[in-house]
């Protein structure tokens, strides 16, 4: 499926808005998954989480924590699940 640039930007904006609003999170952490355009070479979606007190670090279910410099950079790869 080919996604329009506008759809990609809208999805990233929605993800950033949710990340910036921890009062809306169902728990003290937020579940994440890889963006549809950022799945690995095997085509599989990865899952992880972020904590309220550190919104620039993703803790993947299958690996070491990944730190980002900005939410814009993070949402290139990860989306709210």
């Amino acid at each position: 499926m080919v996604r329009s640039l506008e759809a990609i930007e809208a999805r990233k904006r929605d993800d950033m808005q949710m990340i910036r609003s921890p009062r809306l999170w169902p728990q003290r952490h937020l579940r994440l998954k890889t963006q549809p355009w950022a799945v690995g070479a095997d085509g599989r979606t990865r899952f992880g989480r972020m904590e309220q007190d550190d919104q620039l670090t993703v803790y993947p279910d299958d690996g070491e924590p990944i730190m980002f410099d900005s939410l814009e950079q993070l949402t290139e790869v990860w989306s709210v699940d």
Side-chain angles (χ1 to χ4, degrees):
M1 173 191 303
V2 176
R3 296 182 186 274
S4 72
L5 184 56
E6 294 84 16
I8 290 171
E9 291 304 317
R11 183 177 180 124
K12 292 185 328 186
R13 257 191 325 273
D14 290 347
D15 289 335
M16 281 190 271
Q17 183 176 12
M18 182 64 167
I19 291 168
R20 288 180 175 138
S21 303
R23 70 187 184 289
L24 300 177
W25 295 14
Q27 302 172 346
R28 290 201 45 79
H29 65 273
L30 187 63
R31 292 294 300 162
L32 304 172
K33 63 183 176 184
T34 48
Q35 294 283 12
W37 57 85
V39 295
D42 60 3
R44 297 184 65 188
T45 300
R46 295 177 62 200
F47 295 90
R49 73 182 193 322
M50 73 170 35
E51 303 292 331
Q52 284 183 350
D53 60 349
D54 183 2
Q55 297 175 1
L56 293 178
T57 301
V58 174
Y59 298 89
D61 290 351
D62 62 354
E64 297 295 315
I66 304 167
M67 292 171 267
F68 294 89
D69 294 327
S70 68
L71 285 180
E72 290 80 9
Q73 185 186 41
L74 185 146
T75 57
E76 284 292 326
V77 180
W78 295 93
S79 178
V80 175
D81 187 14

